[in-house]
Amino acid sequence: MQRMYGVITAMVTPFTQDDKVDVETLKSYTNYLIEKGVHCLYPCGTTGEMLKMTIAERELVAETVIGEARGRVPVFMHVGAPTTKETIELAMHAYKAGAAGVGVVTPQFFSVNDREMEEFFVTVSNSLPEDFSVYLYNIPQCSGNDLKPAVVDRIVKRTKNVVGIKYSYPDFIRFKDYLLCNDGNFDVVAGPDRLFLPALSMGCVGTVTGCSNCGPEPFVEVYERYLAGDIKGARIAQKKANELCEITLSGANMAYFKSAMAHNGLPMGHMRAPQLDLTTEEENALFEKLDDYQRRWK
């Protein structure tokens, strides 16, 4: 089974002026990220505005990114959806389209108990081939539901293909607990990209990062220097990455990502309603910070 590792960019979704998925821009953007050295691609997650797209649109994104990547890097599709049926439909489509695996966010908005959480992930995972990687995705601050380590252990025991979890809350005790799941044979991927280096030092395998859309280089450098044993260099790269995270609000408002990418020559179109694009005043303030950042970190 293929596994996530390194810098896993959580891709934004480009939209045309008439609010359709911008396929041509998506192809160019896929190539850009690969050329910049990211290790895996992760479309249709939180950064990709997944819950504001139809099933057909999400399948179009999957086919476009997987097709354009052409096996140069693994593509892990996020397939979490409001219902179990839709989640399975998207997961099966990702498998048939040639994805390396899928990520599945917890149920959202409606509270679920531990038994319901377990059954959801077991049902989705067991609907897929046993050799097709499934990553759990826990972002409790957005979903309203938390996936506990004990529940993860039960899910792993009842499935063959659940190999890891993306955890997007900055809780190092929980990271430690996830790393102990399945007797320590379990991938943990950090969602908070500002904690990439310390997460690697704990044993995490990488980061799913939205901020890397706005500048992949420092994130790639963190990983490469860490693997080379250059911890001092990795710390400097992490500092550079962290400053970019702060400027773009670390994903608190995806409009900052799209504006920053446009400023870097990668226009991604508008935010899909009900979210709005930045105002001219907000963009100008962002661009001033980005220009200063780029001057200082040449």
Side-chain angles (χ1 to χ4, degrees):
M1 287 189 283
Q2 296 190 66
R3 311 290 273 258
M4 289 185 178
Y5 70 99
V7 178
I8 307 137
T9 297
M11 299 177 69
V12 305
T13 303
F15 296 112
T16 62
Q17 288 297 318
D18 56 353
D19 204 33
K20 295 178 181 177
V21 173
D22 189 339
V23 171
E24 293 308 311
T25 294
L26 188 55
K27 290 178 181 178
S28 300
Y29 166 40
T30 298
N31 285 307
Y32 166 82
L33 291 174
I34 294 172
E35 290 163 5
K36 289 294 184 180
V38 305
H39 305 98
C40 306
L41 301 177
Y42 191 72
C44 291
T46 305
T47 303
E49 303 178 72
M50 78 280 194
L51 296 182
K52 295 187 283 180
M53 289 193 286
T54 66
I55 296 293
E57 287 176 323
R58 292 177 68 172
E59 290 178 348
L60 175 60
V61 170
E63 292 165 7
T64 301
V65 175
I66 293 167
E68 194 64 24
R70 300 189 301 278
R72 289 173 290 168
V73 298
V75 178
F76 291 86
M77 292 302 306
H78 175 258
V79 298
T83 69
T84 302
K85 180 180 178 181
E86 291 171 307
T87 302
I88 292 172
E89 181 180 344
L90 285 164
M92 283 302 303
H93 176 269
Y95 168 70
K96 292 175 181 177
V102 294
V104 185
V105 75
T106 61
Q108 315 98 48
F109 186 80
F110 295 104
S111 296
V112 297
N113 59 35
D114 289 348
R115 182 173 67 90
E116 292 166 333
M117 183 79 79
E118 179 181 344
E119 290 303 319
F120 167 73
F121 280 113
V122 168
T123 299
V124 172
S125 300
N126 286 342
S127 73
L128 296 163
E130 291 183 354
D131 61 351
F132 186 61
S133 297
V134 175
Y135 283 83
L136 314 176
Y137 175 16
N138 191 18
I139 182 167
Q141 67 270 35
C142 292
S143 71
N145 289 300
D146 186 27
L147 176 54
K148 302 180 182 70
V151 179
V152 170
D153 261 331
R154 295 202 296 269
I155 292 167
V156 172
K157 286 181 173 63
R158 296 178 60 192
T159 60
K160 300 289 187 181
N161 51 3
V162 174
V163 296
I165 187 168
K166 175 197 173 189
Y167 184 49
S168 291
Y169 194 77
D171 180 348
F172 271 100
I173 299 299
R174 179 61 69 84
F175 276 116
K176 180 268 296 181
D177 292 340
Y178 283 139
L179 285 163
L180 295 175
C181 288
N182 195 30
D183 297 322
N185 184 28
F186 195 67
D187 291 348
V188 180
V189 183
D193 26 21
R194 285 173 290 183
L195 301 179
F196 186 20
L197 180 56
L200 287 173
S201 70
M202 289 185 70
C204 294
V205 297
T207 181
V208 175
T209 160
C211 294
S212 64
N213 284 292
C214 309
E217 296 90 343
F219 297 93
V220 173
E221 186 178 358
V222 169
Y223 189 66
E224 291 179 346
R225 288 188 180 275
Y226 176 79
L227 290 184
D230 179 9
I231 302 304
K232 181 178 179 180
R235 286 173 178 161
I236 294 171
Q238 184 70 67
K239 182 179 180 181
K240 181 178 179 180
N242 285 354
E243 187 172 341
L244 184 60
C245 292
E246 299 295 339
I247 291 170
T248 57
L249 304 190
S250 291
N253 181 345
M254 304 305 172
Y256 277 81
F257 287 174
K258 287 194 170 180
S259 287
M261 293 172 73
H263 190 58
N264 291 340
L266 286 169
M268 291 288 120
H270 61 274
M271 292 295 296
R272 180 163 274 185
Q275 272 65 55
L276 298 174
D277 297 337
L278 297 187
T279 65
T280 299
E281 182 180 355
E282 288 170 331
E283 273 202 330
N284 288 340
L286 171 63
F287 295 165
E288 185 176 337
K289 291 178 182 178
L290 287 171
D291 288 340
D292 177 65
Y293 168 83
Q294 289 162 359
R295 281 193 297 270
R296 288 184 292 103
W297 286 106
K298 280 184 179 179

